[in-house]
């Protein structure tokens, strides 16, 4: 449909009057987030102005506080629900793992410290992506689907993932899972606030970076009743640093030089001491 120049100018004037009178301003403010509520991060993504910040996010795990199987199940289920992790059943070879349990000898393979309490060696430990300071998975990803944020979190862009699984081969912790089949039919209750994945995509724990960007702590931390503590490793006043300054902790495979950001308490006292 053609429009004459004179009619176009009239239409422009009407819009200007509408703006001046506030008639269309409401429409514009509804389609554009208020500046006070959001900001643009270094990647150009709009995030909440309430976002939590850190120079390097880290987690402390106090395995002694996972006293029952229910303690761990509560944490795992919170993660599963928040991140649309499929449930293929306990015996399926297609399991997708973001956080799971391993015995001492698998969690800390090669650690032979005669001074560690024997009780520690009999415990199971929650394991996840270590969000390494020097992540080999980031270096080998050909599409930058795996990336490291300025705050130390190793994240994933599922749309960029081509399923080459180089990152899985590079990760020394087995922290990544591959979707050999379409996971969506196996999600019990889809969380609309987090993307579902497709067949042929790798995934892993992301330290709940989408929640941090909204001013919220990771769901596993909230569900752990103090067994998981999260904070800024570079801030001497953070809860993480206070615990590490007063308790003996170890990391997984430190000899590899990846610099894991997940610490495990193996001495007495616990995280709340």
């Amino acid at each position: 449909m053609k429009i004459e120049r004179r009619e176009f100018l009239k239409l422009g004037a009407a819009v200007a009057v509408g703006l001046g009178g506030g008639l269309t301003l409401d429409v514009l403010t509804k389609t554009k987030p208020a500046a006070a509520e959001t900001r643009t991060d270094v990647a150009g993504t709009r995030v909440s102005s309430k976002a939590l910040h850190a120079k390097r996010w880290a987690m402390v795990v106090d395995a002694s506080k996972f006293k029952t199987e229910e303690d761990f199940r509560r944490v795992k289920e919170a993660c599963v629900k928040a991140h649309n992790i499929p449930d293929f059943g306990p015996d399926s070879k297609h399991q997708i793992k973001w956080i799971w349990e391993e015995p001492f000898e698998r969690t800390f393979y090669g650690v032979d410290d005669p001074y560690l309490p024997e009780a520690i060696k009999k415990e199971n430990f929650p394991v996840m992506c270590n969000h390494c300071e020097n992540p080999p998975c980031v270096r080998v990803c050909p599409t930058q689907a795996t990336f490291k944020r300025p705050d130390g979190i190793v994240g994933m862009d599922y749309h960029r993932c081509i399923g080459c699984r180089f990152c899985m081969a590079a990760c020394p912790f087995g922290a990544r899972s591959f979707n050999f089949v379409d996971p969506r039919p196996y999600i019990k209750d889809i969380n609309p606030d987090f993307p579902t994945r497709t067949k042929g995509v790798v995934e892993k724990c992301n330290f709940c970076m989408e929640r941090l960007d909204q001013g919220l702590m990771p769901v596993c931390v909230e569900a752990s009743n103090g067994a998981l503590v999260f904070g800024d490793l570079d801030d001497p006043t953070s809860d993480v640093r206070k615990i590490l300054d007063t308790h003996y902790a170890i990391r997984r495979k430190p000899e590899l030089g990846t610099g894991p950001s997940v610490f495990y308490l193996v001495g007495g006292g616990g995280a709340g001491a």
Side-chain angles (χ1 to χ4, degrees):
M1 180 178 66
K2 292 184 178 180
I3 182 170
E4 298 294 335
R5 181 174 182 274
R6 182 176 300 176
E7 294 177 355
F8 177 80
L9 292 175
K10 288 181 179 179
L11 179 61
V15 171
V17 171
L19 285 173
L23 298 178
T24 60
L25 183 60
D26 183 56
V27 175
L28 294 176
T29 55
K30 285 183 178 180
T31 58
K32 183 177 180 180
E37 297 178 356
T38 64
R39 65 173 178 80
T40 302
D41 66 7
V42 293
T45 303
R46 299 294 294 182
V47 298
S48 170
S49 59
K50 299 179 181 179
L52 302 180
H53 303 281
K55 291 183 178 180
R56 183 184 175 188
W57 289 112
M59 181 178 289
V60 172
V61 179
D62 184 355
S64 68
K65 290 191 174 183
F66 288 93
K67 299 183 182 300
T68 67
E69 195 61 35
E70 176 58 30
D71 291 335
F72 176 74
R73 186 182 299 112
R74 182 176 60 253
V75 170
K76 180 180 178 180
E77 289 181 352
C79 179
V80 166
K81 184 176 181 180
H83 299 110
N84 293 320
I85 300 173
D87 182 7
F88 293 105
D91 300 323
S92 174
K93 62 181 179 180
H94 299 311
Q95 286 189 52
I96 303 298
K97 298 179 179 179
W98 281 45
I99 181 170
W100 68 102
E101 281 188 301
E102 294 284 7
F104 179 89
E105 60 270 18
R106 289 180 61 88
T107 305
F108 305 107
Y109 179 78
V111 174
D112 186 19
D113 187 341
Y115 301 105
L116 282 177
E118 286 299 319
I120 292 292
K121 298 180 181 180
K122 296 178 181 179
E123 291 180 359
N124 287 330
F125 293 81
V127 292
M128 66 206 78
C129 172
N130 283 272
H131 297 275
C132 301
E133 185 176 12
N134 302 302
C137 55
V138 172
R139 295 198 299 271
V140 302
C141 181
T143 63
Q144 296 184 330
T146 295
F147 59 92
K148 182 183 176 184
R149 302 200 327 176
D151 58 11
I153 293 178
V154 177
M156 283 199 66
D157 184 337
Y158 305 114
H159 297 290
R160 286 177 174 265
C161 181
I162 59 175
C164 68
R165 290 183 280 170
F166 289 176
C167 60
M168 296 180 70
C171 177
F173 305 103
R176 291 168 172 266
S177 299
F178 184 71
N179 287 284
F180 285 96
V181 298
D182 182 4
R184 290 169 177 167
Y186 299 91
I187 302 173
K188 293 181 178 179
D189 298 302
I190 293 181
N191 173 16
D193 296 325
F194 194 82
T196 57
R197 280 72 73 195
T198 61
K199 178 181 178 180
V201 171
V202 176
E203 58 181 274
K204 68 173 191 67
C205 160
N206 67 351
F207 262 179
C208 282
M209 62 185 192
E210 77 286 349
R211 288 175 57 86
L212 296 174
D213 289 344
Q214 297 300 318
L216 303 171
M217 293 296 281
V219 289
C220 59
V221 174
E222 291 185 350
S224 71
N225 289 337
L228 302 177
V229 180
F230 197 71
D232 189 349
L233 189 62
D234 288 349
D235 180 3
T237 66
S238 70
D239 291 339
V240 162
R241 279 291 299 276
K242 290 178 180 178
I243 293 170
L244 294 177
D245 286 345
T246 55
H247 297 79
Y248 178 55
I250 61 177
R251 294 183 287 179
R252 302 183 68 195
K253 301 181 180 180
E255 70 277 4
L256 297 181
T258 65
S261 297
V262 179
F263 297 78
Y264 293 83
L265 299 185
V266 293

